[in-house]
Amino acid sequence: MQEVFKAGKIQREDVFIATKLWNNNHRPERVKPAFEASLKKLQLDYVDLYLIHTPFAFQPGDEPDPRGANGHVIYDKGVTLLDSWRALEGLVDEGRCKAVGLSDVSLAQAKEIFEAGRIKPAVVHIESHPYLPQWDLLDDCGKNGIVLQAFAALGHSSEPRLLEDPVITAIAQRVNKTPAQVLLAWAIQRGTALLTTSRTPSRIKENFEVSTLPEEGYRPDCCKNIL
Ligand SMILES: NC(=O)c1ccc[n+]([C@@H]2O[C@H](COP(=O)([O-])OP(=O)(O)OC[C@H]3O[C@@H](n4cnc5c(N)ncnc54)[C@H](OP(=O)(O)O)[C@@H]3O)[C@@H](O)[C@H]2O)c1
C-alpha cells in the first residue's frame, strides 16, 4: 500500500481500509495495544473501520488459538462484548479509527451493543447470501442507521453451492448475467454492502458489472417443484 500511495496515483483517503480485533485481545486493556500492532503491520496512521472479529473472547495472551489439554479452545468468560466495545469507542475518541463495528454477531448480540453503546456500530459484518438472508438483522440495522456488510456474498465454499444453484442459474439465464452477478445484485438491491474476493482478473471485472434485477415475481421452470 505504501508503494502505491508513494507513487501518487491513489491517495490513502481514496481507499477504505478495515481490520479486526482478534479474539485473544478482547480484554479492554489489550484492545489499544492490539490496534496499534495492526496499524504498525499495515504501516498506516489510521484505519477507516475497526471490527470486533467475533462476539466471544479467547483466553487473553499471545497465543491466538489457545487450546486446553483436551484440544478444546479456551474461552475467556471474564470479559463481555460490551467491555470490548467500550474500549473500541475510546479508539474512535482518539481519532485512530474512523468507525467501529461488529462481526459474526447474532441479532441479540448486535441489539445489546446498539442499545448500550455510546457510539453505535457503523457496520455489522456477517455472512449473508440467499441461503442466509438474515432479514431480522438487516431490518434492525436499517432502523439503527447501521450498514449490514455481507461476507460470503457468493456463498464462500459452503454447500449448497450458490453459483451452481438451479434458482440462481435460472435467474442468471433469464437476465443474461452470470450467477455471481445475480448474487451480487441481490445483495445490493436489498440494501447491504457486500464483500467478495477474486484472484481472477476476468471475475474481478465481471463482479463490477452488475445491474438491477427485475422486481416482478418469477418461477423458473426448473424450480416449479421447490418454490
Ligand atoms: N468475519 C468472518 O468470519 C469472515 C469469514 C469469511 C470471509 N470474510 C470476509 O469476506 C471476504 C470475502 O470472502 P469469501 O470467500 O467469503 O467470498 P465469496 O464471495 O463467498 O467467495 C469468493 C470465492 O469466489 C470466487 N469468485 C469470485 N468471483 C467469482 C465469479 N464472478 N464467478 C465465480 N467465482 C467467483 C473466488 O475465486 P477466485 O479467487 O479463484 O476467482 C473466491 O474463491 C473475505 O476477504 C473476508 O474479508 C469474513
Side-chain angles (χ1 to χ4, degrees):
M1 287 190 289
Q2 285 306 328
E3 277 173 32
V4 173
F5 296 151
K6 276 183 196 132
K9 279 196 175 165
I10 296 173
Q11 313 291 323
R12 167 66 185 90
E13 56 274 21
D14 296 332
V15 290
F16 188 94
I17 300 174
T19 190
K20 293 178 187 160
L21 178 77
W22 183 240
N23 307 4
N24 59 337
N25 292 317
H26 275 214
R27 294 256 170 170
E29 68 278 12
R30 295 182 65 86
V31 168
K32 193 168 172 192
F35 176 77
E36 298 288 352
S38 289
L39 282 188
K40 200 170 165 200
K41 277 193 223 164
L42 290 163
Q43 299 178 35
L44 296 173
D45 300 327
Y46 71 93
V47 290
D48 299 278
L49 176 66
Y50 196 49
L51 300 170
I52 301 181
H53 201 306
T54 68
F56 47 84
F58 290 172
Q59 172 182 270
D62 293 334
E63 175 50 57
D65 185 22
R67 301 267 164 176
N70 56 7
H72 294 162
V73 172
I74 307 172
Y75 291 95
D76 180 5
K77 302 287 183 205
V79 62
T80 66
L81 187 59
L82 186 58
D83 296 335
S84 310
W85 184 255
R86 296 213 191 286
L88 261 73
E89 290 176 330
L91 298 176
V92 178
D93 293 339
E94 289 176 30
R96 306 304 305 284
C97 57
K98 305 240 175 195
V100 282
L102 300 167
S103 165
D104 293 349
V105 283
S106 65
L107 176 60
Q109 288 160 332
K111 269 191 163 172
E112 187 203 337
I113 303 298
F114 295 169
E115 282 159 20
R118 178 170 58 82
I119 298 176
K120 280 210 174 120
V123 168
V124 169
H125 166 108
I126 43 144
E127 178 176 347
S128 190
H129 45 69
Y131 281 101
L132 192 57
Q134 311 246 32
W135 287 112
D136 290 346
L137 192 49
L138 178 60
D139 186 48
D140 226 67
C141 283
K143 284 182 193 146
N144 285 283
I146 294 161
V147 172
L148 191 146
Q149 186 183 48
F151 74 77
L154 303 183
H156 202 40
S157 48
S158 42
E159 300 285 340
R161 312 240 0 130
L162 283 185
L163 293 170
E164 290 147 29
D165 181 85
V167 179
I168 306 298
T169 51
I171 294 170
Q173 224 173 359
R174 177 194 174 206
V175 298
N176 205 18
K177 287 282 178 182
T178 66
Q181 288 168 327
V182 168
L183 291 166
L184 300 180
W186 178 84
I188 295 165
Q189 267 171 261
R190 67 198 287 256
T192 67
L194 66 94
L195 282 176
T196 185
T197 176
S198 175
R199 282 178 268 186
T200 316
S202 59
R203 286 177 173 170
I204 294 171
K205 187 167 177 290
E206 173 187 328
N207 292 350
F208 278 104
E209 289 168 353
V210 288
S211 51
T212 312
L213 298 171
E215 293 283 348
E216 74 269 20
Y218 171 62
R219 183 180 292 200
D221 286 345
C222 65
C223 311
K224 289 215 163 102
N225 296 333
I226 55 173
L227 286 179

